[in-house]
Amino acid sequence: MKWTLYKHPLHNSTEKTDASIGSLVTVYISENKKYVRRVFDADGITVSEKKPIVKTIVGMRKLFTNELHWLSALKDSNKVPKFIDADVEEMSIIQEYVGTDVYTLLQNKKELPSDVVQQIVEIYQEYKQKGLFKNNGGPRNLAIKNNKVIAFDFKWSKTRTISTIDKEWMSICHFMKRIHPDLLSELKQTFDDFPVEQSLLKKYR
């Protein structure tokens, strides 16, 4: 299979994107654009054409192993890209390519599915069932394929515990508000363990 190095569409944008873009893995797209290969290479070049923020093989291996762990936990999910293969020596993962990320679609003023809020709520319900805290959830790590929202990139994910719930909600508040004005309130109503905003403000002042 032939692979082409992937460069993010916004990596050299003159517009203010207000988000970091591809700061860790080297990404390749198959020639037929059906598959994506993500390589955890401490000496690689990221999709933003910079060196990875994690600069050690040990650090990269931890993230690679963590991603494989969560992909295994989500192996039966239809809300993540189909897993194809992994190379432990190369520290690479091949999955189905699900298209342009939602952040880029929003920057280019593309319309999202009319039920995008409900789809994302269902994704987070699945995370909760699997005991997963995404940790880097948001439009940069979501894509739309055939009007279906697909989540990817689980290298920073953690086990969902009482001590991580505050940070999970803060992550959601920071990233998800860009997608739809109703999304935060819908997620808040769905998850009764998320803290009230006032308590978060006091806790993190």
Side-chain angles (χ1 to χ4, degrees):
M1 190 179 300
K2 293 184 178 180
W3 299 93
T4 301
L5 187 66
Y6 176 76
K7 298 178 182 179
H8 196 280
L10 297 178
H11 84 277
N12 59 358
S13 173
T14 56
E15 298 181 27
K16 179 175 171 49
T17 60
D18 192 30
S20 61
I21 296 171
S23 61
L24 197 128
V25 299
T26 302
V27 180
Y28 298 90
I29 302 293
S30 65
E31 190 175 43
N32 58 10
K33 294 191 175 179
K34 288 186 177 181
Y35 307 107
V36 60
R37 183 167 121 246
R38 297 164 61 241
V39 183
F40 292 69
D41 181 5
D43 295 317
I45 297 294
T46 68
V47 297
S48 56
E49 297 190 319
K50 297 179 180 179
K51 300 296 288 185
I53 58 171
V54 174
K55 304 182 185 305
T56 67
I57 295 175
V58 171
M60 282 293 195
R61 188 162 294 281
K62 286 181 180 179
L63 292 171
F64 169 72
T65 302
N66 192 54
E67 174 116 15
L68 283 182
H69 167 77
W70 289 111
L71 289 180
S72 176
L74 294 163
K75 64 183 179 180
D76 297 323
S77 175
N78 62 1
K79 297 176 175 60
V80 300
K82 182 180 178 182
F83 176 83
I84 306 299
D85 196 11
D87 186 320
V88 175
E89 292 301 317
E90 184 187 43
M91 290 194 292
S92 66
I93 296 171
I94 299 176
Q95 290 176 278
E96 170 193 20
Y97 177 55
V98 289
T100 305
D101 62 276
V102 168
Y103 192 82
T104 302
L105 297 177
L106 290 171
Q107 289 292 111
N108 292 326
K109 311 210 182 297
K110 302 291 186 181
E111 287 192 15
L112 302 182
S114 58
D115 63 343
V116 66
V117 171
Q118 180 57 36
Q119 288 197 55
I120 291 174
V121 167
E122 291 173 0
I123 286 172
Y124 274 84
Q125 287 172 336
E126 186 164 324
Y127 290 166
K128 187 173 182 179
Q129 291 168 0
K130 297 293 184 181
L132 181 155
F133 165 31
K134 182 69 162 62
N135 202 29
N136 65 344
R140 292 167 297 172
N141 296 316
L142 295 170
I144 308 293
K145 183 174 183 180
N146 299 326
N147 281 324
K148 184 177 178 180
V149 182
I150 304 293
F152 58 91
D153 190 355
F154 293 87
K155 61 183 176 289
W156 298 109
S157 297
K158 296 180 180 179
T159 300
R160 194 174 196 274
T161 65
I162 292 175
S163 64
T164 62
I165 287 173
D166 284 3
K167 290 183 178 179
E168 181 176 16
W169 181 238
M170 289 179 72
S171 173
I172 290 170
C173 289
H174 181 69
F175 294 116
M176 289 300 189
K177 62 186 178 184
R178 298 181 173 96
I179 296 177
H180 193 283
D182 296 336
L183 184 52
L184 293 184
S185 61
E186 288 295 323
L187 285 168
K188 191 65 180 290
Q189 292 175 33
T190 303
F191 298 97
D192 55 9
D193 57 355
F194 282 147
V196 297
E197 286 78 1
Q198 291 83 352
S199 66
L200 278 180
L201 289 173
K202 290 178 181 178
K203 185 172 182 179
Y204 292 98
R205 274 178 182 169

